[in-house]
Amino acid sequence: ELYKMKKSFNVSYENGRLNVAQKESYAGGTAHYDKLAFKYLSMIMIPLVIGYSIYSLYTTDHKGWYSWVISSLSGCVYSFGFIMMTPQLFLNYQYKSVAHLSWRALVYKFLNTIIDDLFAFIIEMPTLHRLAVFRDDLVFFIYLYQRWIYPSDPSRTEEGTPIEANPDAAQETTQEPAPPSSEASAE
């Protein structure tokens, strides 16, 4: 997922300090939709994690409080891992485009998903971890579905491709739609 960081932030090292700042292009609509997706998923996942922790406390035998806390915290990690994977789906839905996700990243996600699935079947592991592996499959299949239903912009260069390697690409980059104003959402 580091390609998103490179796309979203300017990172520089000056006078012994690491400076990280959002790029102007990310601060607009994309940042708004990322925050919106995180907000909605958090409203769903936080009560589920709390409910899972309470359910686990009453129904599962734990060796002690420490064991229950570790189990609950691992549930939090798995849930928020899911939340961090889905803003791309929300962006694709809002823009009705899959131009934000390069084929290289999609192939990487595919290979990662297949390898995780194989290990989930072969290696003995906790059920919660096995479910976390299959959440990646769900997100991946939604990515594939979005690739199928949303048109691809052939004039847009794929991320990481030099402009000289794609002579047919338009010189101007496509603009992201502006996020809805706070006045319009208040009505």
Side-chain angles (χ1 to χ4, degrees), residues 129-177:
H129 184 74
R130 196 166 282 176
L131 289 174
V133 168
F134 292 117
R135 70 153 193 234
D136 297 347
D137 292 344
L138 174 69
V139 171
F140 176 72
F141 285 121
I142 294 172
Y143 279 143
L144 287 179
Y145 178 70
Q146 286 181 336
R147 273 247 182 232
W148 181 54
I149 63 170
Y150 297 140
S152 181
D153 185 3
S155 66
R156 185 176 176 144
T157 59
E158 186 174 322
E159 175 135 357
T161 306
I163 293 176
E164 300 84 32
N166 193 358
D168 297 333
Q171 294 298 324
E172 298 179 17
T173 59
T174 57
Q175 297 262 335
E176 295 177 349

Side-chain angles (χ1 to χ4, degrees), residues 112-127:
N112 190 25
T113 300
I114 295 299
I115 291 169
D116 284 348
D117 291 348
L118 289 174
F119 280 105
F121 283 118
I122 294 171
I123 297 174
E124 184 177 329
M125 61 180 64
T127 304

Side-chain angles (χ1 to χ4, degrees), residues 85-126:
M85 291 171 59
T86 52
Q88 182 67 48
L89 297 174
F90 193 70
L91 278 176
N92 293 346
Y93 172 74
Q94 289 294 325
Y95 292 139
K96 303 292 188 239
S97 170
V98 291
H100 301 29
L101 182 66
S102 68
W103 273 107
R104 289 183 197 142
L106 192 63
V107 168
Y108 169 76
K109 287 182 182 295
F110 171 74
L111 292 175
N112 190 25
T113 300
I114 295 299
I115 291 169
D116 284 348
D117 291 348
L118 289 174
F119 280 105
F121 283 118
I122 294 171
I123 297 174
E124 184 177 329
M125 61 180 64

